[in-house]
Amino acid sequence: MLATEVIKKKRDDTDALTQQEIDFFIQGYASGQIPDYQMASLLMSIFLNGMTKEETIHLTQSMLNSGERIDFGELYPVDKHSTGGVGDKTSLILAPIVAACGIPVPMMSGRGLGHTGGTLDKLESIPGFNVNLDLATFQSMVEKTNLSFIGQTAKICPADKKIYGLRDVTATVESLPLICASIMSKKIAEGIKGLVLDVKVGSGAFMKTIEAARELATGLISIGQGQGIKTSALITNMNQPLGRFVGNALEVGECLSILQRRDFLGHDYRSFADTESLSLGLAAHMIANAKKINLTEAKVQAQEALDSGAAFEKFAEVCKTQDGDLDQLLMPNQQTPVAAKKDGFVSAFNSESIGLAGIELGAGRKVASDVVNPLPGIEVCKKIGDSIKAGETLFVIHHTSQPSGIKEAKKHLSSCYSIETSPSETTNLILETL
Amino acid sequence: MLATEVIKKKRDDTDALTQQEIDFFIQGYASGQIPDYQMASLLMSIFLNGMTKEETIHLTQSMLNSGERIDFGELYPVDKHSTGGVGDKTSLILAPIVAACGIPVPMMSGRGLGHTGGTLDKLESIPGFNVNLDLATFQSMVEKTNLSFIGQTAKICPADKKIYGLRDVTATVESLPLICASIMSKKIAEGIKGLVLDVKVGSGAFMKTIEAARELATGLISIGQGQGIKTSALITNMNQPLGRFVGNALEVGECLSILQRRDFLGHDYRSFADTESLSLGLAAHMIANAKKINLTEAKVQAQEALDSGAAFEKFAEVCKTQDGDLDQLLMPNQQTPVAAKKDGFVSAFNSESIGLAGIELGAGRKVASDVVNPLPGIEVCKKIGDSIKAGETLFVIHHTSQPSGIKEAKKHLSSCYSIETSPSETTNLILETL
């Protein structure tokens, strides 16, 4: 088989690539026999000509085959995957809830890039928290305590890791089949039997329209089902940041407030109702998936795990096992408010700009090699529909005594919202369930 | 400027690339600052989304700017470019004809690849012939004797050379704008003021239909005119090999027979009427172009240069100046005939198969690094429309006493023709003039 013949077939789009052709290319690339420039050419052909459902499933399978796959035997582990948003911290709440309900949750997460955050960065704001467990330790921890958090290791889907790096520099990131295969190969490698997808839509999400979100969700579900994984998706609103805080330590603080039913930085845990509500909703779908019970019953179990403190205990246990010291969690100690410019009702946020303000403060990454500062972040004091007065605080920039990027962050924040004279209709957090 | 932004623009095809963006990418690639994988991604975007006429002109200019450009001052040099065929040997006849008429012909040629031959390989079958002159020597020879033959040097369009190598391994060869820019940048760098294109169409050509050939010719002409070069094109028939011989030394022999009005391997020079006729036709267009006279007058001058022996003298002079010894030209000394399978009239050839038979004999290249044997070749004994008997010789394989690939060549030749019961209509050699 020749690499150029496979490229030509996709380029001319005459017929679908076979499993054998895709395997030849992916394994050849992973092993270094097929060079970057041939993969770049194939990626652009896929970007422009797309892939059939079957080709995407083959691609996923091939990336999966490039590395190891955990086998949990008779267990029924479930996971959640979010397509990424601003202030999206649900993993830290739903994972302990689901684990506390007796379900194994092997959570392999990513780091933040661009305006969206990543679970690993949030966890690492807890001093000592080690996300670099080897696969055997990860598996035995999930088997023992139902929950562990790790980052992607070199042993899981190495082909995906190499291809993802190349997509970033060849303008082939935003391709539905490539995105689907990349997400799903890593999730399937975790050895899960059930998966709940949180597909974000709106100004702070990768998908800007409900149609695009639906297309992505459908694509992901079809790969999951094709691999024998019970997969469902929630399409959720990302037109404003989730919860009140954006920033690694601040987001952990908000989650602990919800898990412990206590105040955080002067706010009652009920102030973070949207974070709690989405976390419970996703957790319920995971519980229903694993226990084969209806959603109403699953919601009761999720709420009970949260209210009883069982979820917090589970989170504390995991932190301890992974060397994280919750007592040492630091928060930024300085605040710089950003005031609203006029009276009215908040009608819109450009959540992406809020994420970019976070990057300016050092809380996020412009490029994958950037080092993240756990402390700084942004507090979003109003939600869409809230009334506000000119001069009233809309955002608080939280930082340390040696801040950087405040000016640039302020610039983003000052132009990332709209205020209207009458309140706009509020939309649901969960828009659709697929 | 970012390479990925330029790729994205072409990928999304929202707006044409600017001269500045194309220059940034081409010069960046030539200097090694832009890596192969980014160029591969851009090339596939161009392949699938095309280029406007203006973008193609910018691309040509940018490849031209990557190297040197000869300046012939007040002289009016003309050249011919053929898109490649089987048995296409007209350069060796028309170049001395035009030069003998007092017109400078700076002929920079290529090597054969795949089923099509190359002028350099044919010239190198003349013992000692040196096609590796430096640009200054080449220029001064053209100024002194009106003719010199060289290969592409590293100083002419280095960006094109690098891009061409990459296209070959990324399945991006057959792209009209990329082909046009590659051909024209090299021709313009020769310092020509006039250009006649021989665009081949048919079973042995890159362009299989007259529409495709017309599109290519139009594209090439528009770049030539855009660069102030008086450009015209002949679309010519490549449904059967040109002339009687295919193979490097054999083709030189056929050309010398025409130039010297003498027999070759037992055939009167009039047996090679199609080679002579096309060479004269192209030469006349070049003469008319340079001397600004009408085609009828130019044809008379071309014929006179051939009949008088002036063209042969010019060719002999050039051979001598470039160290080629015509007296030492060797021919293969063994023959293996291939007989027709049935009675009737030859109705079609798959010329590409005849070219591939030549490759099996060592007369051509599968890949650019192959070494070519000057001796072996194929004699095509019948033309389309000729009558033939079963068992009568249709092809002769010419080889040496240590042949290789005869069996494979025979296989190609035995299945590369059709014989019908009645003669098919013959088509003209020159189909259109643009």
Side-chain angles (χ1 to χ4, degrees):
Chain A
M1 207 181 286
L2 285 174
T4 47
E5 292 304 315
V6 178
I7 301 171
K8 271 182 197 168
K9 195 171 172 189
K10 177 43 69 187
R11 177 196 83 186
D12 298 339
D13 211 15
T14 40
D15 214 350
L17 297 180
T18 64
Q19 169 83 65
Q20 203 192 2
E21 287 164 336
I22 292 173
D23 244 3
F24 161 77
F25 218 102
I26 300 297
Q27 307 312 335
Y29 183 61
S31 70
Q33 284 170 296
I34 290 180
D36 283 339
Y37 52 78
Q38 290 188 320
M39 181 54 92
S41 179
L42 181 69
L43 289 172
M44 185 53 85
S45 307
I46 293 171
F47 190 103
L48 289 170
N49 288 335
M51 273 190 147
T52 66
K53 184 178 142 183
E54 285 69 32
E55 285 178 303
T56 314
I57 291 172
H58 292 330
L59 178 61
T60 309
Q61 182 67 49
S62 194
M63 301 215 291
L64 186 58
N65 292 345
S66 72
E68 291 181 21
R69 179 176 180 169
I70 302 175
D71 181 359
F72 281 104
E74 292 306 301
L75 292 179
Y76 190 103
V78 293
D79 195 6
K80 179 225 62 163
H81 176 81
S82 157
T83 59
V86 179
D88 178 20
K89 50 187 84 76
T90 62
S91 290
L92 273 54
I93 300 166
L94 64 84
I97 290 177
V98 175
C101 291
I103 300 163
V105 183
M107 191 158 267
M108 199 176 291
S109 304
R111 299 194 177 275
L113 187 60
H115 67 279
T116 63
T119 299
L120 294 186
D121 298 321
K122 298 175 216 244
L123 287 168
E124 285 182 340
S125 70
I126 301 166
F129 200 106
N130 176 18
V131 297
N132 301 311
L133 308 181
D134 63 45
L135 281 184
T137 310
F138 175 65
Q139 177 168 0
S140 96
M141 189 173 158
V142 171
E143 286 166 354
K144 250 182 250 165
T145 71
N146 283 336
L147 177 60
S148 181
F149 293 101
I150 60 165
Q152 202 192 339
T153 82
K155 298 201 169 161
I156 292 286
C157 304
D160 171 70
K161 199 179 164 75
K162 198 172 170 189
I163 292 169
Y164 194 86
L166 187 64
R167 282 167 60 202
D168 199 35
V169 292
T170 56
T172 50
V173 170
E174 309 90 339
S175 156
L176 203 67
L178 296 177
I179 290 168
C180 287
S182 174
I183 291 173
M184 294 304 287
S185 60
K186 284 176 288 191
K187 287 290 143 185
I188 297 163
E190 289 175 352
I192 52 172
K193 296 212 171 71
L195 179 63
V196 176
L197 298 159
D198 179 6
V199 178
K200 306 278 188 195
V201 60
S203 66
F206 173 55
M207 296 296 166
K208 305 294 181 200
T209 67
I210 187 89
E211 291 75 22
R214 223 177 264 143
E215 203 187 344
L216 176 58
T218 311
L220 293 169
I221 290 173
S222 98
I223 299 175
Q225 308 291 29
Q227 291 282 339
I229 289 164
K230 198 168 150 195
T231 310
S232 59
L234 275 62
I235 298 182
T236 69
N237 195 329
M238 189 35 71
N239 273 326
Q240 57 188 335
L242 188 69
R244 191 173 179 103
F245 292 95
V246 178
N248 297 303
L250 291 164
E251 293 187 44
V252 172
E254 182 176 323
C255 291
L256 288 171
S257 165
I258 293 168
L259 286 167
Q260 296 183 279
R261 310 327 242 167
R262 61 163 172 80
D263 289 0
F264 174 60
L265 294 182
H267 303 285
D268 184 277
Y269 74 87
R270 289 180 203 88
S271 329
F272 316 129
D274 56 342
T275 304
E276 177 171 327
S277 153
L278 183 57
S279 303
L280 279 170
L282 289 163
H285 276 85
M286 293 166 78
I287 296 166
N289 185 315
K291 295 198 173 176
K292 292 164 189 66
I293 57 178
N294 68 46
L295 197 61
T296 315
E297 213 176 318
K299 274 180 182 163
V300 171
Q301 294 193 14
Q303 188 72 56
E304 166 63 17
L306 185 58
D307 290 339
S308 69
F312 171 68
E313 279 164 39
K314 182 57 70 183
F315 187 68
E317 180 190 0
V318 168
C319 283
K320 205 174 163 188
T321 313
Q322 296 196 227
D323 304 326
D325 189 346
L326 280 175
D327 296 336
Q328 301 294 322
L329 182 64
L330 293 178
M331 289 297 151
N333 53 9
Q334 312 255 328
Q335 286 88 37
T336 299
V338 179
K341 286 174 193 157
K342 58 177 181 177
D343 292 1
F345 296 87
V346 177
S347 63
F349 285 106
N350 182 340
S351 311
E352 191 166 335
S353 289
I354 299 173
L356 296 176
I359 292 182
E360 297 294 351
L361 297 171
R365 288 183 186 81
K366 266 179 206 159
V367 294
S369 56
D370 287 348
V371 174
V372 159
N373 183 345
L375 290 173
I378 294 146
E379 182 177 352
V380 186
C381 306
K382 300 283 175 184
K383 292 271 153 187
I384 291 175
D386 286 353
S387 70
I388 193 158
K389 296 276 171 208
E392 195 183 342
T393 300
L394 177 51
F395 301 105
V396 180
I397 299 175
H398 289 259
H399 54 88
T400 60
S401 53
Q402 290 170 312
S404 73
I406 303 263
K407 201 177 142 189
E408 295 78 6
K410 261 189 165 171
K411 206 174 154 189
H412 280 294
L413 295 175
S414 303
S415 59
C416 77
Y417 63 91
S418 307
I419 292 176
E420 303 291 342
T421 48
S422 55
S424 52
E425 270 184 64
T426 54
T427 47
N428 290 334
L429 197 50
I430 298 175
L431 301 169
E432 279 182 27
T433 305
L434 297 175
Chain B
M1 208 180 286
L2 285 175
T4 46
E5 291 305 314
V6 178
I7 302 171
K8 272 181 198 169
K9 195 171 172 187
K10 177 43 69 187
R11 177 196 82 185
D12 298 339
D13 211 15
T14 40
D15 213 352
L17 297 180
T18 64
Q19 169 81 66
Q20 204 193 1
E21 286 164 336
I22 292 174
D23 244 3
F24 162 77
F25 218 102
I26 300 298
Q27 307 312 335
Y29 183 60
S31 70
Q33 285 170 295
I34 290 179
D36 284 339
Y37 53 78
Q38 290 189 321
M39 181 54 94
S41 179
L42 182 69
L43 289 172
M44 185 53 84
S45 307
I46 294 172
F47 191 103
L48 290 171
N49 288 334
M51 271 189 149
T52 65
K53 186 177 143 185
E54 286 68 33
E55 285 178 303
T56 314
I57 291 172
H58 292 328
L59 177 62
T60 309
Q61 184 66 48
S62 194
M63 301 215 291
L64 186 58
N65 291 346
S66 72
E68 291 181 20
R69 180 176 180 168
I70 301 176
D71 181 359
F72 281 104
E74 293 305 299
L75 293 178
Y76 191 104
V78 293
D79 195 8
K80 178 223 63 158
H81 176 80
S82 157
T83 59
V86 178
D88 179 19
K89 50 187 86 73
T90 63
S91 290
L92 273 56
I93 300 165
L94 65 83
I97 289 176
V98 176
C101 291
I103 300 163
V105 183
M107 192 158 265
M108 199 176 290
S109 304
R111 299 193 177 276
L113 186 60
H115 68 278
T116 62
T119 298
L120 294 186
D121 298 321
K122 299 176 214 241
L123 287 169
E124 284 182 340
S125 70
I126 302 166
F129 201 104
N130 176 17
V131 297
N132 302 310
L133 308 181
D134 63 45
L135 281 184
T137 310
F138 174 66
Q139 177 169 359
S140 96
M141 189 173 161
V142 171
E143 286 166 353
K144 249 181 248 163
T145 71
N146 283 336
L147 179 59
S148 181
F149 293 101
I150 60 165
Q152 201 192 341
T153 82
K155 297 200 169 165
I156 292 285
C157 304
D160 171 70
K161 199 180 165 77
K162 199 172 169 189
I163 292 169
Y164 194 85
L166 187 64
R167 283 167 59 201
D168 199 35
V169 292
T170 56
T172 50
V173 171
E174 309 90 338
S175 157
L176 203 68
L178 295 177
I179 290 168
C180 287
S182 174
I183 291 174
M184 295 303 287
S185 59
K186 284 177 286 193
K187 286 289 143 186
I188 297 163
E190 288 176 352
I192 53 173
K193 296 212 171 69
L195 178 63
V196 176
L197 298 160
D198 180 7
V199 178
K200 307 276 189 195
V201 60
S203 65
F206 173 57
M207 295 295 165
K208 306 293 180 199
T209 66
I210 188 89
E211 291 75 20
R214 224 177 265 144
E215 202 188 345
L216 176 58
T218 310
L220 293 168
I221 290 172
S222 98
I223 298 176
Q225 307 290 30
Q227 291 282 338
I229 290 164
K230 198 168 150 193
T231 311
S232 60
L234 276 62
I235 297 182
T236 70
N237 195 328
M238 190 32 74
N239 273 326
Q240 57 188 332
L242 188 69
R244 191 173 179 103
F245 291 95
V246 178
N248 298 303
L250 291 164
E251 291 188 43
V252 173
E254 182 176 321
C255 292
L256 288 171
S257 163
I258 293 168
L259 286 167
Q260 295 183 280
R261 311 326 244 167
R262 62 164 171 79
D263 289 0
F264 174 60
L265 293 182
H267 302 285
D268 184 277
Y269 75 88
R270 290 180 202 87
S271 328
F272 316 129
D274 56 344
T275 304
E276 176 170 328
S277 152
L278 183 57
S279 303
L280 279 170
L282 289 163
H285 275 85
M286 292 166 78
I287 295 165
N289 184 318
K291 295 198 171 175
K292 292 161 189 67
I293 57 180
N294 67 47
L295 198 62
T296 316
E297 213 176 316
K299 274 180 182 163
V300 172
Q301 294 192 16
Q303 188 72 56
E304 166 63 17
L306 184 60
D307 291 338
S308 68
F312 172 69
E313 280 164 37
K314 183 54 70 183
F315 187 67
E317 181 191 359
V318 168
C319 284
K320 207 174 161 189
T321 313
Q322 298 197 225
D323 305 325
D325 189 346
L326 279 175
D327 296 335
Q328 300 295 322
L329 182 65
L330 293 178
M331 288 298 152
N333 53 9
Q334 313 255 326
Q335 285 88 37
T336 300
V338 179
K341 285 173 192 157
K342 58 176 184 178
D343 292 1
F345 296 87
V346 178
S347 63
F349 285 105
N350 182 339
S351 310
E352 190 167 335
S353 288
I354 300 173
L356 295 177
I359 292 182
E360 296 294 352
L361 298 170
R365 289 182 185 82
K366 266 179 207 159
V367 294
S369 56
D370 287 348
V371 174
V372 159
N373 183 345
L375 290 173
I378 294 147
E379 182 176 352
V380 185
C381 306
K382 300 283 175 185
K383 290 273 156 188
I384 292 175
D386 287 354
S387 71
I388 194 159
K389 298 275 172 210
E392 195 182 342
T393 299
L394 177 51
F395 301 105
V396 179
I397 298 175
H398 290 259
H399 53 89
T400 60
S401 52
Q402 289 168 312
S404 74
I406 302 263
K407 201 177 143 191
E408 294 78 8
K410 259 189 167 169
K411 207 173 152 191
H412 280 293
L413 295 174
S414 304
S415 58
C416 77
Y417 63 91
S418 307
I419 292 176
E420 302 290 343
T421 48
S422 55
S424 52
E425 269 185 62
T426 53
T427 46
N428 289 335
L429 198 49
I430 297 175
L431 301 169
E432 280 182 25
T433 305
L434 298 176

